[in-house]
Structures are given as C-alpha cells and as structure tokens.
Amino acid sequence: MDVRTLVFGHRPSRSSQVLVHAASERGLRVVELDGAPVPEELRGSGAHLYSGLRLAGLRAAELGIALLEAPPGWLAALPPELIGRDVALIPIRDAYGLRGPVFAKFPNSKEMPATVYADGSRLPGPDAVDPETLVLVADPVRFTAEFRLHVLDGAVHAAGQYAADGEQSLVPLEGHPRRDAVLGFAADVLAETAHTLPSAIVVDVGPVHRPVDGERWAVIEANGAWGSGCYAADPQRALDVVLRASVPFDALSDHDRRFVRPGR
C-alpha cells in the first residue's frame, strides 16, 4: 500500500490545484484522474483521496478507504445560539408544503442546488426524488462574510475567508480584521460540538446580517475536508486535514468510525 499517494478527482480550479501543489511539495505522489476511473494499480491501495462529491463514494470504494464527514443532521442538531436561524432536517415530502422563501439542500450531497427556493413547491418533485429523502431546510439569511475552518482534532488547524456578501472573496485569516472574532466563535463552536464531528472536517462560519440587532455569528455548515476547497487557508495545513479525512479503514480511530461516509 502506498500511503503517500493522493488521488485527485476534482475538476481543476485554483482552489483545488493549491492542494495538489502542496501535496507534490510534501513529496506525495499525486495521481490526477481528469474524469477517468481509478487506475487498476491503485485499487485497494489505501491511497488518500481529494475528490468532488459526485464520484467520491465510488472512488473511495475502489481505493479501499473511508471518507470522514459530519452526520447529515449535524447542523440541525446544533444549539440555536450557534446557528442563528431555524434549521431542520426533514423528509422532502414534508418540505413541499413550506410557504415562503426557504434555503434548502441535501446534506452531504450536491444532487440538488443548495439555494433559496421561493417556497417548498419549487423543490425537486416526487418524480425526481424519493419522497423520504432527507433535506436540510433553513430560514434564508445573509452572511456578510464566510470563513472556512479546517479542523483537526477539535481545533482550528487552518482558516481563511472565502466570501463576502455572497461573492467569492479570498482573504487569509492572518492579518484579517475579523481574525479574533473568527477564532473566538470557532473555539465556542468546537468546545460545544467537537465530540459530534470526525477528527478531520471543514466547518464554515460567518456573521449573519440582522437588521434589528446587528450581526450575529453562526455556523454555516460542515463538509468533508476530502472534498472541500482550500481557498485562502495555508495549503500545507489544510492538506494535513485532507489527508486525515481520507484513510484506510484500519487506520480509523474508534471515534472516527462513527463518521464514515456511506457508500454511494
């Protein structure tokens, strides 16, 4: 088994290529799939994976590895003071009756656009989706800035801003005017929730615009580090998290065995 191989299955982008370069600089062998299947010589090898969601489960199975991610209902189960809006995980059949604008997405999946829908009737219908499929629904809010935290062993290992007022805006955390606020809120979140997350994960946070009482910090979502962009974070430290988040099953801790992405 070549544990020093990183299989790259993302569509090339500036953010994803940063991790490829970091892996090469560290001395890892990088195999870029470019849409191709996992090569025969790597099947069952236990190589690490950095991949988009659509084929991640298949590629992980071919490599013989586990992918770590947050449970589907993780965000909805957080204390209200950490999420700053109403969030629920419900069968999509129940979401069809929602009236008024609603943000909706499938947890740990991009099979439905994660966006604000005019109401529940605009969600994919039963002809396209099993009515029992779980969907995350939330009050629409505006995040004035969005920060990605690469979390390792319950602490922020790398971080950076990736958006401002809904537009991409890549800014390193070091020297950022909100640095202390980001790390302070992250410490509160992880003190409360680290035991509910795998040892390697990405958590996005940001201040929510509230017309009545000003900004309030909130958790946006959690995603598998093996499929998440590096953005403005230190690429070598982000890579530490990516490598821990995609490992052979026999390398999993007892804690992390609870957070393995199901085969897809």
Side-chain angles (χ1 to χ4, degrees), residues 175-194:
H176 196 291
R178 293 186 185 264
R179 177 184 179 278
D180 291 347
V182 172
L183 294 179
F185 180 68
D188 292 342
V189 170
L190 295 172
E192 182 84 19
T193 69

PDB file of all heavy atoms in Angstrom, residues 175-194:
ATOM      1  N   GLY A 175      -3.864  38.579   9.813  1.00  0.00           N
ATOM      2  CA  GLY A 175      -3.972  39.982   9.455  1.00  0.00           C
ATOM      3  C   GLY A 175      -5.381  40.429   9.139  1.00  0.00           C
ATOM      4  O   GLY A 175      -5.613  41.623   8.888  1.00  0.00           O
ATOM      5  N   HIS A 176      -6.340  39.499   9.131  1.00  0.00           N
ATOM      6  CA  HIS A 176      -7.726  39.852   8.825  1.00  0.00           C
ATOM      7  C   HIS A 176      -8.329  40.607  10.009  1.00  0.00           C
ATOM      8  O   HIS A 176      -8.113  40.238  11.167  1.00  0.00           O
ATOM      9  CB  HIS A 176      -8.543  38.576   8.559  1.00  0.00           C
ATOM     10  CG  HIS A 176      -9.852  38.819   7.877  1.00  0.00           C
ATOM     11  ND1 HIS A 176     -10.912  39.449   8.489  1.00  0.00           N
ATOM     12  CD2 HIS A 176     -10.282  38.505   6.618  1.00  0.00           C
ATOM     13  CE1 HIS A 176     -11.936  39.507   7.660  1.00  0.00           C
ATOM     14  NE2 HIS A 176     -11.573  38.953   6.514  1.00  0.00           N
ATOM     15  N   PRO A 177      -9.102  41.668   9.764  1.00  0.00           N
ATOM     16  CA  PRO A 177      -9.685  42.423  10.882  1.00  0.00           C
ATOM     17  C   PRO A 177     -10.653  41.609  11.741  1.00  0.00           C
ATOM     18  O   PRO A 177     -10.915  41.969  12.888  1.00  0.00           O
ATOM     19  CB  PRO A 177     -10.412  43.586  10.193  1.00  0.00           C
ATOM     20  CG  PRO A 177     -10.569  43.178   8.767  1.00  0.00           C
ATOM     21  CD  PRO A 177      -9.403  42.301   8.462  1.00  0.00           C
ATOM     22  N   ARG A 178     -11.179  40.522  11.196  1.00  0.00           N
ATOM     23  CA  ARG A 178     -12.107  39.682  11.962  1.00  0.00           C
ATOM     24  C   ARG A 178     -11.427  38.443  12.543  1.00  0.00           C
ATOM     25  O   ARG A 178     -12.102  37.540  13.040  1.00  0.00           O
ATOM     26  CB  ARG A 178     -13.272  39.242  11.081  1.00  0.00           C
ATOM     27  CG  ARG A 178     -14.217  40.361  10.637  1.00  0.00           C
ATOM     28  CD  ARG A 178     -15.393  39.750   9.890  1.00  0.00           C
ATOM     29  NE  ARG A 178     -16.301  40.722   9.327  1.00  0.00           N
ATOM     30  CZ  ARG A 178     -17.418  41.131   9.926  1.00  0.00           C
ATOM     31  NH1 ARG A 178     -17.732  40.678  11.128  1.00  0.00           N
ATOM     32  NH2 ARG A 178     -18.222  41.995   9.322  1.00  0.00           N
ATOM     33  N   ARG A 179     -10.115  38.377  12.475  1.00  0.00           N
ATOM     34  CA  ARG A 179      -9.410  37.166  12.915  1.00  0.00           C
ATOM     35  C   ARG A 179      -9.822  36.743  14.315  1.00  0.00           C
ATOM     36  O   ARG A 179     -10.165  35.575  14.558  1.00  0.00           O
ATOM     37  CB  ARG A 179      -7.905  37.390  12.851  1.00  0.00           C
ATOM     38  CG  ARG A 179      -7.092  36.200  13.365  1.00  0.00           C
ATOM     39  CD  ARG A 179      -5.608  36.499  13.381  1.00  0.00           C
ATOM     40  NE  ARG A 179      -4.835  35.374  13.889  1.00  0.00           N
ATOM     41  CZ  ARG A 179      -4.656  35.117  15.186  1.00  0.00           C
ATOM     42  NH1 ARG A 179      -5.187  35.933  16.109  1.00  0.00           N
ATOM     43  NH2 ARG A 179      -3.948  34.066  15.560  1.00  0.00           N
ATOM     44  N   ASP A 180      -9.765  37.647  15.274  1.00  0.00           N
ATOM     45  CA  ASP A 180     -10.058  37.277  16.655  1.00  0.00           C
ATOM     46  C   ASP A 180     -11.511  36.836  16.811  1.00  0.00           C
ATOM     47  O   ASP A 180     -11.805  35.904  17.574  1.00  0.00           O
ATOM     48  CB  ASP A 180      -9.750  38.441  17.596  1.00  0.00           C
ATOM     49  CG  ASP A 180      -8.255  38.727  17.711  1.00  0.00           C
ATOM     50  OD1 ASP A 180      -7.455  37.867  17.266  1.00  0.00           O
ATOM     51  OD2 ASP A 180      -7.889  39.796  18.223  1.00  0.00           O
ATOM     52  N   ALA A 181     -12.412  37.501  16.089  1.00  0.00           N
ATOM     53  CA  ALA A 181     -13.823  37.121  16.172  1.00  0.00           C
ATOM     54  C   ALA A 181     -14.037  35.722  15.586  1.00  0.00           C
ATOM     55  O   ALA A 181     -14.797  34.917  16.149  1.00  0.00           O
ATOM     56  CB  ALA A 181     -14.682  38.143  15.441  1.00  0.00           C
ATOM     57  N   VAL A 182     -13.383  35.426  14.467  1.00  0.00           N
ATOM     58  CA  VAL A 182     -13.498  34.100  13.851  1.00  0.00           C
ATOM     59  C   VAL A 182     -13.009  33.027  14.814  1.00  0.00           C
ATOM     60  O   VAL A 182     -13.699  32.031  15.078  1.00  0.00           O
ATOM     61  CB  VAL A 182     -12.696  34.030  12.541  1.00  0.00           C
ATOM     62  CG1 VAL A 182     -12.652  32.596  12.014  1.00  0.00           C
ATOM     63  CG2 VAL A 182     -13.288  34.950  11.491  1.00  0.00           C
ATOM     64  N   LEU A 183     -11.807  33.212  15.334  1.00  0.00           N
ATOM     65  CA  LEU A 183     -11.223  32.185  16.200  1.00  0.00           C
ATOM     66  C   LEU A 183     -11.969  32.077  17.526  1.00  0.00           C
ATOM     67  O   LEU A 183     -12.092  30.988  18.088  1.00  0.00           O
ATOM     68  CB  LEU A 183      -9.745  32.484  16.429  1.00  0.00           C
ATOM     69  CG  LEU A 183      -8.869  32.386  15.174  1.00  0.00           C
ATOM     70  CD1 LEU A 183      -7.415  32.714  15.503  1.00  0.00           C
ATOM     71  CD2 LEU A 183      -8.974  30.997  14.534  1.00  0.00           C
ATOM     72  N   GLY A 184     -12.485  33.191  18.021  1.00  0.00           N
ATOM     73  CA  GLY A 184     -13.253  33.147  19.254  1.00  0.00           C
ATOM     74  C   GLY A 184     -14.546  32.359  19.078  1.00  0.00           C
ATOM     75  O   GLY A 184     -14.890  31.505  19.909  1.00  0.00           O
ATOM     76  N   PHE A 185     -15.270  32.636  17.979  1.00  0.00           N
ATOM     77  CA  PHE A 185     -16.502  31.897  17.727  1.00  0.00           C
ATOM     78  C   PHE A 185     -16.189  30.435  17.441  1.00  0.00           C
ATOM     79  O   PHE A 185     -16.902  29.531  17.919  1.00  0.00           O
ATOM     80  CB  PHE A 185     -17.268  32.516  16.564  1.00  0.00           C
ATOM     81  CG  PHE A 185     -18.557  31.813  16.253  1.00  0.00           C
ATOM     82  CD1 PHE A 185     -19.618  31.850  17.143  1.00  0.00           C
ATOM     83  CD2 PHE A 185     -18.711  31.110  15.062  1.00  0.00           C
ATOM     84  CE1 PHE A 185     -20.812  31.190  16.863  1.00  0.00           C
ATOM     85  CE2 PHE A 185     -19.900  30.456  14.774  1.00  0.00           C
ATOM     86  CZ  PHE A 185     -20.955  30.498  15.684  1.00  0.00           C
ATOM     87  N   ALA A 186     -15.127  30.166  16.676  1.00  0.00           N
ATOM     88  CA  ALA A 186     -14.750  28.786  16.382  1.00  0.00           C
ATOM     89  C   ALA A 186     -14.454  28.014  17.658  1.00  0.00           C
ATOM     90  O   ALA A 186     -14.853  26.847  17.801  1.00  0.00           O
ATOM     91  CB  ALA A 186     -13.529  28.761  15.459  1.00  0.00           C
ATOM     92  N   ALA A 187     -13.774  28.654  18.601  1.00  0.00           N
ATOM     93  CA  ALA A 187     -13.475  27.985  19.873  1.00  0.00           C
ATOM     94  C   ALA A 187     -14.760  27.629  20.614  1.00  0.00           C
ATOM     95  O   ALA A 187     -14.887  26.536  21.184  1.00  0.00           O
ATOM     96  CB  ALA A 187     -12.587  28.877  20.730  1.00  0.00           C
ATOM     97  N   ASP A 188     -15.732  28.528  20.596  1.00  0.00           N
ATOM     98  CA  ASP A 188     -17.019  28.250  21.246  1.00  0.00           C
ATOM     99  C   ASP A 188     -17.734  27.075  20.567  1.00  0.00           C
ATOM    100  O   ASP A 188     -18.273  26.184  21.230  1.00  0.00           O
ATOM    101  CB  ASP A 188     -17.914  29.486  21.206  1.00  0.00           C
ATOM    102  CG  ASP A 188     -17.406  30.623  22.083  1.00  0.00           C
ATOM    103  OD1 ASP A 188     -16.570  30.356  22.975  1.00  0.00           O
ATOM    104  OD2 ASP A 188     -17.846  31.772  21.869  1.00  0.00           O
ATOM    105  N   VAL A 189     -17.748  27.098  19.227  1.00  0.00           N
ATOM    106  CA  VAL A 189     -18.422  26.038  18.480  1.00  0.00           C
ATOM    107  C   VAL A 189     -17.775  24.686  18.761  1.00  0.00           C
ATOM    108  O   VAL A 189     -18.456  23.689  19.039  1.00  0.00           O
ATOM    109  CB  VAL A 189     -18.392  26.337  16.965  1.00  0.00           C
ATOM    110  CG1 VAL A 189     -18.876  25.130  16.163  1.00  0.00           C
ATOM    111  CG2 VAL A 189     -19.238  27.560  16.645  1.00  0.00           C
ATOM    112  N   LEU A 190     -16.450  24.632  18.690  1.00  0.00           N
ATOM    113  CA  LEU A 190     -15.763  23.355  18.838  1.00  0.00           C
ATOM    114  C   LEU A 190     -15.799  22.852  20.275  1.00  0.00           C
ATOM    115  O   LEU A 190     -15.838  21.635  20.515  1.00  0.00           O
ATOM    116  CB  LEU A 190     -14.333  23.469  18.321  1.00  0.00           C
ATOM    117  CG  LEU A 190     -14.243  23.728  16.808  1.00  0.00           C
ATOM    118  CD1 LEU A 190     -12.810  24.014  16.396  1.00  0.00           C
ATOM    119  CD2 LEU A 190     -14.811  22.549  16.020  1.00  0.00           C
ATOM    120  N   ALA A 191     -15.808  23.752  21.239  1.00  0.00           N
ATOM    121  CA  ALA A 191     -15.952  23.323  22.629  1.00  0.00           C
ATOM    122  C   ALA A 191     -17.280  22.619  22.843  1.00  0.00           C
ATOM    123  O   ALA A 191     -17.396  21.665  23.622  1.00  0.00           O
ATOM    124  CB  ALA A 191     -15.830  24.526  23.563  1.00  0.00           C
ATOM    125  N   GLU A 192     -18.292  23.068  22.116  1.00  0.00           N
ATOM    126  CA  GLU A 192     -19.644  22.511  22.244  1.00  0.00           C
ATOM    127  C   GLU A 192     -19.846  21.268  21.383  1.00  0.00           C
ATOM    128  O   GLU A 192     -20.606  20.367  21.748  1.00  0.00           O
ATOM    129  CB  GLU A 192     -20.664  23.580  21.829  1.00  0.00           C
ATOM    130  CG  GLU A 192     -22.112  23.169  21.944  1.00  0.00           C
ATOM    131  CD  GLU A 192     -22.676  23.350  23.334  1.00  0.00           C
ATOM    132  OE1 GLU A 192     -22.087  24.117  24.118  1.00  0.00           O
ATOM    133  OE2 GLU A 192     -23.706  22.726  23.625  1.00  0.00           O
ATOM    134  N   THR A 193     -19.135  21.198  20.232  1.00  0.00           N
ATOM    135  CA  THR A 193     -19.523  20.197  19.229  1.00  0.00           C
ATOM    136  C   THR A 193     -18.419  19.261  18.758  1.00  0.00           C
ATOM    137  O   THR A 193     -18.702  18.358  17.956  1.00  0.00           O
ATOM    138  CB  THR A 193     -20.074  20.905  17.972  1.00  0.00           C
ATOM    139  OG1 THR A 193     -19.005  21.588  17.299  1.00  0.00           O
ATOM    140  CG2 THR A 193     -21.169  21.895  18.330  1.00  0.00           C
ATOM    141  N   ALA A 194     -17.180  19.426  19.202  1.00  0.00           N
ATOM    142  CA  ALA A 194     -16.086  18.615  18.658  1.00  0.00           C
ATOM    143  C   ALA A 194     -16.370  17.118  18.779  1.00  0.00           C
ATOM    144  O   ALA A 194     -16.004  16.332  17.893  1.00  0.00           O
ATOM    145  CB  ALA A 194     -14.774  18.960  19.351  1.00  0.00           C
TER     146      ALA A 194
END
